Amino acid sequence: MAKRLTKPTINWKEFDKLVPPDQRTNFLAFKAKSDNYLRRVQANPAELPKIDWKKYEAMVPVAGLVEKFKKDYEGLKVPYPVDNLTATIDEQWKTLQPEIKAYCDNAQKEIEIATKELEKIKSLPKFEDITMEMFYDLYPNEALDPVKRPTFWPHDEESQLGYEEKKAKKDAKEPQKKK
């Protein structure tokens, strides 16, 4: 007989913390299905019910039939899959821990950079209130500077004097003609 699990193997509280808000309904539906399945399994007895074979021997007139059933019943073993992958998975998990930690550290650094950028953006004046001079003071490289870097309308790279198309990209896109 397979062993009966007495406690859940899933830490639902920790799992719940990792679920994004937009996936919450799917997570709750999955948890409800899992709980329902666990309740159905727990409703069944852990051991097979005991059969009173003497009672059946008295009731069945065919000699040897009950003994045959008893022998077959007690000899019946339902195969339970052997867990031979948990050790491999645990080993893989241990080898992945440094990569996961490095990824999390890198992600945390990016979060800090993005948070600083958001704070910087929030500290800016509203779009309606900013002037061209304020924009030039805040972003001197992106602002139009008619004195130091005059440009022609529409002020993009292709519309300026001295612009040359990137021939390497153009040549790479065109297939070579055979002679």
Side-chain angles (χ1 to χ4, degrees), residues 38-50:
L38 185 63
R39 266 189 244 104
R40 285 190 356 238
V41 168
Q42 295 292 350
N44 295 325
E47 297 293 325
L48 292 174
K50 301 294 179 196

Side-chain angles (χ1 to χ4, degrees), residues 106-122:
N106 187 28
Q108 189 61 37
K109 288 176 187 174
E110 290 179 11
I111 289 170
E112 290 171 4
I113 292 169
T115 304
K116 288 178 184 175
E117 188 68 26
L118 280 174
E119 289 172 3
K120 184 179 174 184
I121 290 171
K122 287 179 182 178

Side-chain angles (χ1 to χ4, degrees), residues 2 5 12 15 30 32 45 61 70 73 84 92 94 106 117 154 168:
L5 299 175
W12 290 106
F15 197 5
F30 170 70
K70 181 179 178 182
Y73 181 77
N84 53 6
Q92 288 176 351
K94 287 178 185 174
N106 187 28
E117 188 68 26

Side-chain angles (χ1 to χ4, degrees), residues 90-148:
D90 290 342
E91 183 179 314
Q92 288 176 351
W93 180 250
K94 287 178 185 174
T95 58
L96 286 175
Q97 285 300 316
E99 290 180 40
I100 293 170
K101 184 170 178 9
Y103 177 81
C104 290
D105 292 343
N106 187 28
Q108 189 61 37
K109 288 176 187 174
E110 290 179 11
I111 289 170
E112 290 171 4
I113 292 169
T115 304
K116 288 178 184 175
E117 188 68 26
L118 280 174
E119 289 172 3
K120 184 179 174 184
I121 290 171
K122 287 179 182 178
S123 69
L124 292 175
K126 291 182 182 177
F127 179 76
E128 296 85 21
D129 299 336
I130 198 165
T131 63
M132 291 298 284
E133 292 81 14
M134 292 169 78
F135 183 79
Y136 182 80
D137 290 339
L138 293 170
Y139 301 103
N141 294 334
E142 286 85 20
L144 294 176
D145 187 359
V147 176
K148 295 179 185 170

Side-chain angles (χ1 to χ4, degrees), residues 80-93:
Y80 190 75
V82 178
D83 183 14
N84 53 6
L85 295 176
T86 301
T88 308
I89 292 170
D90 290 342
E91 183 179 314
Q92 288 176 351
W93 180 250

